[in-house]
Amino acid sequence: TVIVGQTGSGKSSVLSALLGEIRKVYGSVHTQGSIAYASQQPFIQNSTVRENITFGCPFNVERYGIACTLSAIQRDLQILPGGDMTELGERGINLSGGQKARVALARAVYSDADIYLLDDTLSAVDAHVGQHIFEKCVVSLRAQGKCVILVTNALHHLSKPGVVDHIIVMKKG
């Protein structure tokens, strides 16, 4: 499912409602299974890149490789001084907005959740990387039977046949 709409139309609020972060006035919200969330403003811990991706889960080399490949973070890991053991934050280096978005996406993929909420993940990366993330990550998760809800304004991805099941258009007011 892809949610599109103008800035301020409530796209991110839909994801917040699914996460139970917004008080509902009426109606109900039900989810079943584990949820992974890659927010519009990703957070990074003061630890290594690897620890930011695995996020307290046991390290699994195969799952880690898949998460890095699908999130398009591998090239960045090759140029970081310590690879995925590079320290981030106060004791280490800072990442660009696009790198933070890809680390957050890799974290979500690594979690192997049932439901993926991806809040404007494509906006922080260039067009080439955005295409990779959509075609490799979103399509791969969907092919695994995962539920993927993507908030985006990258409408050109929506024209690919058989990739998007539902498009929700949000309007202001």
Side-chain angles (χ1 to χ4, degrees):
T1 300
V2 177
I3 303 173
V4 299
Q6 295 176 325
T7 301
S9 63
K11 302 180 301 288
S12 295
S13 295
V14 171
L15 299 186
S16 293
L18 291 171
L19 291 167
E21 294 179 352
I22 291 181
R23 183 178 66 86
K24 74 180 172 300
V25 177
Y26 60 88
S28 60
V29 177
H30 300 280
T31 58
Q32 187 172 348
S34 57
I35 298 175
Y37 175 55
S39 74
Q40 202 172 52
Q41 310 222 336
F43 66 91
I44 299 296
Q45 300 181 96
N46 292 327
S47 59
T48 66
V49 175
R50 180 185 292 185
E51 290 167 335
N52 269 280
I53 293 171
T54 60
F55 204 61
C57 295
F59 182 73
N60 177 299
V61 69
E62 182 180 352
R63 190 165 73 177
Y64 184 78
I66 291 168
C68 290
T69 299
L70 295 181
S71 65
I73 195 74
Q74 284 182 315
R75 188 169 150 257
D76 295 280
L77 297 178
Q78 293 170 353
I79 61 173
L80 290 174
D84 68 348
M85 298 309 285
T86 300
E87 288 281 332
L88 303 177
E90 292 176 13
R91 298 177 311 222
I93 66 166
N94 291 319
L95 298 177
S96 71
Q99 289 170 321
K100 287 179 183 178
R102 285 175 284 158
V103 167
L105 180 60
R107 179 187 306 137
V109 172
Y110 189 82
S111 74
D112 193 28
D114 301 309
I115 302 167
Y116 292 85
L117 306 179
L118 308 178
D119 194 357
D120 216 10
T121 306
L122 305 177
S123 70
V125 299
D126 63 37
H128 176 73
V129 173
Q131 182 176 350
H132 171 93
I133 289 171
F134 189 83
E135 291 178 357
K136 302 296 184 204
C137 186
V138 174
V139 172
S140 173
L141 292 172
R142 183 177 177 271
Q144 294 173 40
K146 308 291 186 170
C147 174
V148 180
I149 301 175
L150 172 68
V151 167
T152 188
N153 285 317
L155 301 179
H156 57 279
H157 295 298
L158 308 183
S159 63
K160 296 177 176 78
V163 175
V164 176
D165 295 318
H166 307 281
I167 300 172
I168 299 171
V169 179
M170 304 290 290
K171 294 187 179 184
K172 280 186 173 180

